[in-house]
Amino acid sequence: MHNASSISIVSNEFLPDEKFDDDGRIKRTGTWQSATAHIITTIVGSGVLSLSWCFAQLGWIAGIITLILFGIIMLFTSFLLVDCYRSPDPVNGTRNYTYMNAVKANLGMLQYKICGIAQYGVLIGVTIAYTTTTAISMAAIKKSNCFHKHGHQADCHVGNNPFMVTFAIIQIILSQVPNFQKLAPVSIIAAIMSFIYCTIGIGLSISKIIREGMAQTSLTGIPVGKDITGEEKMWKMFLALGDVAVAFSFSFVLLEIQDTLKSSPPENKSMKKATSVGILASTIFYMMCGALGYAAFGNNAPGNFLTGFGFFDPFWLVDLANLCLVIHLIGAYQVLAQPIFRLLEDWSRKRWPQSALITKYYTLGNVKINLFRLILRSTYVTVMTTIAMIFPFFNEFMGLLGACTFWPLSVYFPIEMYISQTKIRKLSFTWIFMQLLSLGCLMVSLLAGAGSTRGLIASLKIFKPLGSVS
């Protein structure tokens, strides 16, 4: 037993009194509730506040249908993926600790490598985008107070870079949480924050509707006319379609979340429950934010009505919503970064198994510290923050990256792995249905990718000074 000032060294990560699962790893203690928190933390990002803009592009009919349809598709493909956590049997088979391991076990090495590029590309991209988005929300708080003090027409320019540094320091500290298993409290707090800022956005929209009446809306979205050409409307609809598809994406960490669950009841049973609750809750909030935001702002809906200043007053409530958004993204960053940390650390242990830097753990009271983990994770956060500072238009890159990875990670791999594992007969009704679903989602990804590419080109033409907030 150690007191607060004592330091000792242990030769591996596991302390003697810890219990182990059947695979020799630390006993998993996750439940469907903790998995639900991880899922909501991952799905409900800041993009929920741009859904009113998506509704403005798609209109009432296509907007509502799109949200419901993608919620159903994600639920279906997630159920398929959940059953691939163990192979070949979904209950008693060998564990696949990561998404890539599941692809390797079911589809072979080539697709394993393709999956790795897609999965870790989007994870790295999202951590950079979250750094940018959090800084914008932090700056929006300061900007909101400036508007409140000096009026809505005041020049309240605020730089983002100092807030990125603050965010990086917080992430360096949180990154020392060893693994997903220990991250549940962070995800629970983040999930609560997401509900709070979504609720505030919904409340502000309702207040605006009551005070000013419904804004001008349309069944088909922004009408073609002097303000927007038919071609422009088409591209914006593609971009909105991609935004909705990407908003539901969380498959790239689904199996990593499932690997935190205790084995009784079976992991796939608990994960299906968590997935159902997470996607249903997210879809409800998406629908309310999108529909009510569109009703409040109509065809002039801003890209994000909190950081884009769709609302100015009450300023303290807008500030609270942005603060909750910041806290949520702090937790969401960790949920997405943990698989990257795990990949790098597992590879390093296999590459240098005798290295004292990698294998030795120091205990300070009840806290275990590994110098390699400290250096590696701190370096990752620092590099990602630097990239976020260099590329102020990185969110446009993320839109393209998300569009490119939605189909393979959320649809193609889950369907192909399930077909392989359950040995579904080729050209059977089930096989044909799944292939048609996959093809339809591929078309959505291609259209969204085209819309994102055009948006990126437009952003490069109107490049803003580094560190600015619009």
Side-chain angles (χ1 to χ4, degrees):
M1 187 173 183
H2 307 283
N3 57 41
S5 61
S6 67
I7 299 178
S8 64
I9 302 175
V10 292
S11 60
N12 57 59
E13 187 176 2
F14 310 131
L15 294 181
D17 60 342
E18 289 179 313
K19 297 180 180 179
F20 303 93
D21 261 328
D22 53 1
D23 59 345
R25 300 205 174 192
I26 295 177
K27 197 169 187 66
R28 297 159 178 82
T29 57
T31 63
W32 73 266
Q33 291 96 332
S34 64
T36 300
H38 287 315
I39 291 169
I40 292 175
T41 298
T42 306
I43 297 180
V44 185
S46 59
V48 66
L49 301 177
S50 68
L51 289 176
S52 58
W53 179 87
C54 294
F55 264 73
Q57 314 314 311
L58 298 170
W60 285 113
I61 297 174
I64 292 173
I65 291 175
T66 299
L67 276 180
I68 294 174
L69 187 60
F70 276 103
I72 293 171
I73 291 172
M74 283 307 305
L75 185 62
F76 175 70
T77 58
S78 296
F79 273 25
L80 301 183
L81 186 56
V82 161
D83 281 336
C84 296
Y85 171 66
R86 288 181 180 265
S87 299
D89 183 79
V91 176
N92 300 312
T94 303
R95 297 175 191 266
N96 296 308
Y97 303 118
T98 67
Y99 196 128
M100 287 178 64
N101 286 346
V103 172
K104 183 179 180 181
N106 289 283
L107 302 177
M109 281 299 297
L110 176 60
Q111 301 215 47
Y112 165 79
K113 293 176 181 178
I114 295 172
C115 172
I117 293 171
Q119 182 187 11
Y120 288 95
V122 73
L123 288 173
I124 291 170
V126 173
T127 55
I128 299 173
Y130 276 8
T131 303
T132 304
T133 305
T134 307
I136 290 173
S137 292
M138 289 171 142
I141 295 174
K142 187 172 182 180
K143 195 173 181 181
S144 170
N145 292 334
C146 172
F147 283 138
H148 179 71
K149 185 175 181 180
H150 301 291
H152 297 173
Q153 305 305 317
D155 180 14
C156 293
H157 174 81
V158 179
N160 291 345
N161 288 353
F163 297 108
M164 289 190 189
V165 173
T166 302
F167 180 74
I169 293 171
I170 295 171
Q171 290 302 338
I172 287 173
I173 296 170
L174 284 179
S175 291
Q176 303 317 309
V177 175
N179 48 47
F180 254 132
Q181 188 76 11
K182 308 293 184 183
L183 202 61
V186 175
S187 278
I188 291 171
I189 293 171
I192 292 171
M193 293 299 106
S194 68
F195 282 126
I196 292 175
Y197 71 72
C198 285
T199 302
I200 291 175
I202 291 168
L204 289 172
S205 296
I206 293 173
S207 174
K208 182 176 174 64
I209 294 169
I210 292 173
R211 189 173 63 251
E212 302 175 12
M214 274 189 62
Q216 182 179 359
T217 62
S218 168
L219 292 177
T220 57
I222 299 174
V224 175
K226 62 178 182 179
D227 295 327
I228 184 171
T229 65
E231 183 185 359
E232 266 188 295
K233 179 174 175 61
M234 179 187 71
W235 286 115
K236 287 189 175 182
M237 287 180 69
F238 289 164
L239 186 56
L241 199 64
D243 283 353
V244 175
V246 173
F248 277 101
S249 299
F250 74 103
S251 299
F252 42 81
V253 290
L254 188 147
L255 293 186
E256 283 79 358
I257 294 173
Q258 191 169 348
D259 192 45
T260 67
L261 297 175
K262 51 189 178 184
S263 54
S264 181
E267 300 93 348
N268 64 337
K269 182 178 179 181
S270 297
M271 197 63 187
K272 285 178 181 178
K273 187 174 183 180
T275 301
S276 300
V277 174
I279 291 179
L280 177 62
S282 301
T283 303
I284 292 172
F285 269 89
Y286 280 1
M287 189 66 72
M288 294 179 72
C289 285
L292 289 171
Y294 183 40
F297 294 102
N299 296 328
N300 295 318
N304 183 318
F305 55 54
L306 290 181
T307 61
F309 291 94
F311 297 107
F312 285 95
D313 296 302
F315 84 99
W316 62 269
L317 193 57
V318 177
D319 286 354
L320 176 60
N322 276 307
L323 178 61
C324 290
L325 177 59
V326 168
I327 296 172
H328 170 241
L329 292 183
I330 287 172
Y333 184 103
Q334 282 302 308
V335 172
L336 298 173
Q338 283 293 335
I340 301 171
F341 297 153
R342 180 174 182 170
L343 175 74
L344 295 175
E345 290 167 7
D346 285 351
W347 179 84
S348 299
R349 290 191 191 100
K350 291 177 182 177
R351 180 68 177 80
W352 300 287
Q354 305 302 321
S355 171
L357 177 67
I358 296 173
T359 59
K360 285 192 179 295
Y361 284 76
Y362 302 83
T363 60
L364 178 61
N366 293 322
V367 179
K368 289 184 294 182
I369 300 173
N370 176 261
L371 293 180
F372 178 72
R373 174 195 293 160
L374 178 64
I375 294 169
L376 174 70
R377 298 186 179 195
S378 299
T379 301
Y380 176 84
V381 173
T382 302
V383 171
M384 295 305 106
T385 304
T386 303
I387 294 174
M389 290 179 175
I390 293 173
F391 296 103
F393 44 80
F394 192 84
N395 282 339
E396 284 74 23
F397 279 113
M398 262 312 301
L400 179 59
L401 184 61
C404 293
T405 56
F406 163 72
W407 173 71
L409 295 177
S410 298
V411 182
Y412 172 76
F413 285 125
I415 285 178
E416 292 302 315
M417 283 193 290
Y418 186 79
I419 289 175
S420 174
Q421 183 164 296
T422 57
K423 296 179 171 55
I424 294 174
R425 185 170 54 86
K426 193 172 184 179
L427 297 180
S428 65
F429 174 80
T430 303
W431 186 90
I432 293 173
F433 167 75
M434 288 187 173
Q435 297 302 328
L436 288 175
L437 175 62
S438 181
L439 180 62
C441 291
L442 172 60
M443 293 302 298
V444 170
S445 274
L446 292 175
L447 293 175
S452 298
T453 301
R454 189 177 184 278
L456 176 60
I457 293 171
S459 296
L460 290 171
K461 289 180 180 178
I462 56 171
F463 178 76
K464 296 177 182 180
L466 186 63
S468 67
V469 58
S470 57

